Amino acid sequence: MTSMSTDPTSATAALEAAAATTAQTGDVEFDMIEAIAKMRSQVGPDGKPIKPSWALSEDNWEEEMKTIPLFMRSFDPNADVESVPELAALQSLIYDGTPEEVAENFKNQGNDMFRDGKHHYPHAIQYYTQGIDQKCKDAKLNSVLYANRAAVNLELGNLRKCVNDCLRAIEHNPTNIKAYYRAGRAYHLLEKYDEAVSAFTHGLAADPNNGSIKVALEAAQKAKLARDAKDAEKRAQQEYEAQQEALVAAVMKKRGIRSGTVLAQLPNAEYASHRPSYDPTTDTLTVPCLILYPEFNQSDFITHFPVESTFAEQLAPVLDEAPAPWDPQHTYRSATTDVYFLTFNEDPNLRRLVKVGKKNTLQSVLKLSWSCVVNGVVEFLVLHRNNQFCKEYVEKYRQRASPASASSGK
């Protein structure tokens, strides 16, 4: 065997070496294998085998193969194709043929991308779109292209795009079963159950024995029934609440109790769900009440305060049974506190502080001209009777209400 004197990292060197030995052995295949094996046995300074410049990486050869035009599965449509002659030649072949042939080719490539998994779905959409863009005269092929693109969009969660593609597919071919099925699935996921049932029903009309559509139709019908039942229950609840509000409003008007809505004073969400209620069997009107403790910036909430009940009766369980976490010394009790109301006025600067006795009923206070049930809730304050903070708090409102204060404000 003649030794190789050319650069072992070159593919040409390997071929030349093989040619030189062939003259002696006459066995071309054997000499080629031996020359390449010898080339592979060469070791570089780093101790690793020397590879030809054209060799692919052992760890990343699959990705590198995709950069070779002949083995490309997809390419960037914005790439400079003319700068790569091989790619330009292959692309020209893609559009070589009738619009129907080109569209069929794009459909097949899209199918390959779809089968290759989610990572290739964008390429599948690209190929199906390129097929659609050929505007071929084959209606069934166009329908398949739209239906297949719909399948990809369905997998990606692009539900409205899926529906739109299915509708276009059905326009081209009203018997495209897959288009009805995919449209139904997308509608179901969008919770448009009526449309889902309609799509599946049309699909079954075209293919009465399709098991997948039968199962999907049954699921959509069950979801529709559940949704309809929930909507009916919601409507019934809304009608009941409307009747109750009308009844409560009539009772309050009859008892001389004012009510109103002030957008600037809307209650917190935790209180907003509670409304005045009336039980005709016992002729009992109850109102939710928010108790404020200004000294501690705290509050309590009574969900159903019977208007014919006194403040003493309702506050005793709140103040006397156990101290609040914010009042560990239990200084706030029925015997040491007073009840105050702020007069009703949409302008907070014009509200006045009025003390009411605990023996009064809530109804007796609500019938006064300055009182009002605002946004369905009654607010009143509880202040300590012998407390410096509370004395100053009351004095602040007393000065605001004095004539001198009113004149100075002008």
Side-chain angles (χ1 to χ4, degrees), residues 128-149:
Y128 292 137
T129 301
Q130 288 177 291
I132 291 168
D133 290 344
Q134 302 312 303
K135 302 185 185 302
C136 72
K137 298 183 185 295
D138 187 335
K140 287 190 175 181
L141 177 56
N142 285 325
S143 181
V144 170
L145 286 165
Y146 276 110
N148 287 6
R149 192 170 72 175

Side-chain angles (χ1 to χ4, degrees), residues 98-153:
T98 65
E100 287 72 24
E101 291 172 338
V102 174
E104 179 73 24
N105 180 47
F106 279 127
K107 184 203 75 173
N108 293 334
Q109 292 186 76
N111 291 348
D112 289 340
M113 291 293 102
F114 188 50
R115 279 192 291 267
D116 282 350
K118 194 168 185 176
H119 181 70
H120 297 279
Y121 286 175
H123 297 141
I125 288 178
Q126 175 186 323
Y127 282 126
Y128 292 137
T129 301
Q130 288 177 291
I132 291 168
D133 290 344
Q134 302 312 303
K135 302 185 185 302
C136 72
K137 298 183 185 295
D138 187 335
K140 287 190 175 181
L141 177 56
N142 285 325
S143 181
V144 170
L145 286 165
Y146 276 110
N148 287 6
R149 192 170 72 175
V152 184
N153 279 317

Side-chain angles (χ1 to χ4, degrees), residues 368-382:
L368 297 173
S369 60
W370 50 260
S371 185
C372 182
V373 179
V374 180
N375 300 327
V377 178
V378 172
E379 290 185 9
F380 61 88
L381 296 79
V382 173

Side-chain angles (χ1 to χ4, degrees), residues 63-369:
E63 292 300 318
E64 292 177 8
M65 283 280 286
K66 295 176 184 178
T67 65
I68 301 173
L70 184 61
F71 299 103
M72 283 184 175
R73 301 293 299 278
S74 61
F75 63 90
D76 184 357
N78 299 318
D80 183 9
V81 176
E82 298 302 326
S83 64
V84 185
E86 297 91 341
L87 190 57
L90 288 173
Q91 188 182 38
S92 67
L93 291 175
I94 292 175
Y95 293 95
D96 185 18
T98 65
E100 287 72 24
E101 291 172 338
V102 174
E104 179 73 24
N105 180 47
F106 279 127
K107 184 203 75 173
N108 293 334
Q109 292 186 76
N111 291 348
D112 289 340
M113 291 293 102
F114 188 50
R115 279 192 291 267
D116 282 350
K118 194 168 185 176
H119 181 70
H120 297 279
Y121 286 175
H123 297 141
I125 288 178
Q126 175 186 323
Y127 282 126
Y128 292 137
T129 301
Q130 288 177 291
I132 291 168
D133 290 344
Q134 302 312 303
K135 302 185 185 302
C136 72
K137 298 183 185 295
D138 187 335
K140 287 190 175 181
L141 177 56
N142 285 325
S143 181
V144 170
L145 286 165
Y146 276 110
N148 287 6
R149 192 170 72 175
V152 184
N153 279 317
L154 182 63
E155 292 299 319
L156 290 173
N158 301 328
L159 303 179
R160 297 191 184 280
K161 288 184 178 181
C162 173
V163 168
N164 291 336
D165 278 346
C166 288
L167 295 178
R168 294 300 303 275
I170 292 167
E171 286 178 10
H172 285 286
N173 179 14
T175 62
N176 189 328
I177 309 303
K178 292 180 179 179
Y180 288 114
Y181 176 69
R182 290 163 188 165
R185 284 187 58 197
Y187 277 132
H188 193 141
L189 292 171
L190 288 167
E191 297 184 0
K192 292 181 175 292
Y193 303 123
D194 294 306
E195 291 86 346
V197 169
S198 176
F200 291 136
T201 301
H202 279 85
L204 275 184
D207 184 5
N209 297 319
N210 192 299
S212 297
I213 295 182
K214 286 181 179 179
V215 172
L217 174 60
E218 183 179 351
Q221 288 172 331
K222 286 182 179 179
K224 180 179 181 300
L225 287 173
R227 190 272 317 275
D228 291 346
K230 188 175 181 179
D231 288 347
E233 183 180 351
K234 184 178 180 180
R235 285 193 300 271
Q237 181 63 25
Q238 290 173 339
E239 291 174 3
Y240 171 77
E241 290 175 356
Q243 293 173 355
Q244 282 295 304
E245 285 188 12
L247 178 61
V248 168
V251 172
M252 290 175 66
K253 183 177 180 180
K254 183 179 179 180
R255 298 192 183 193
I257 300 174
R258 283 198 304 161
S259 64
T261 300
V262 180
L263 295 179
Q265 300 179 26
L266 288 176
N268 295 333
E270 58 184 309
Y271 307 136
S273 61
H274 299 282
R275 308 290 297 175
S277 61
Y278 176 70
D279 184 355
T281 60
T282 59
D283 191 30
T284 301
L285 175 67
T286 62
V287 179
C289 288
L290 180 63
I291 309 170
L292 303 175
Y293 306 98
E295 182 179 2
F296 299 97
N297 195 28
Q298 296 290 333
S299 64
D300 277 318
F301 191 68
I302 300 177
T303 58
H304 297 85
F305 192 130
V307 297
E308 295 182 350
S309 179
T310 66
F311 291 97
E313 292 170 340
Q314 294 299 313
L315 287 175
V318 177
L319 298 176
D320 296 339
E321 290 185 359
W326 43 265
D327 181 26
Q329 302 301 319
H330 206 177
T331 58
Y332 271 60
R333 298 172 178 268
S334 295
T336 61
T337 55
D338 291 319
V339 174
Y340 290 83
F341 271 74
L342 286 170
T343 58
F344 172 69
N345 198 302
E346 293 190 23
D347 184 351
N349 295 319
L350 298 178
R351 302 182 75 183
R352 304 291 179 257
L353 194 64
V354 179
K355 180 180 177 180
V356 299
K358 290 198 190 73
K359 292 182 179 181
N360 287 310
T361 63
L362 178 58
Q363 180 168 276
S364 67
V365 175
L366 295 178
K367 292 173 69 174
L368 297 173
S369 60

Side-chain angles (χ1 to χ4, degrees), residues 50-68:
I50 298 176
K51 296 180 181 179
S53 58
W54 45 265
L56 300 179
S57 166
E58 294 182 4
D59 298 327
N60 203 35
W61 66 271
E62 289 182 287
E63 292 300 318
E64 292 177 8
M65 283 280 286
K66 295 176 184 178
T67 65
I68 301 173

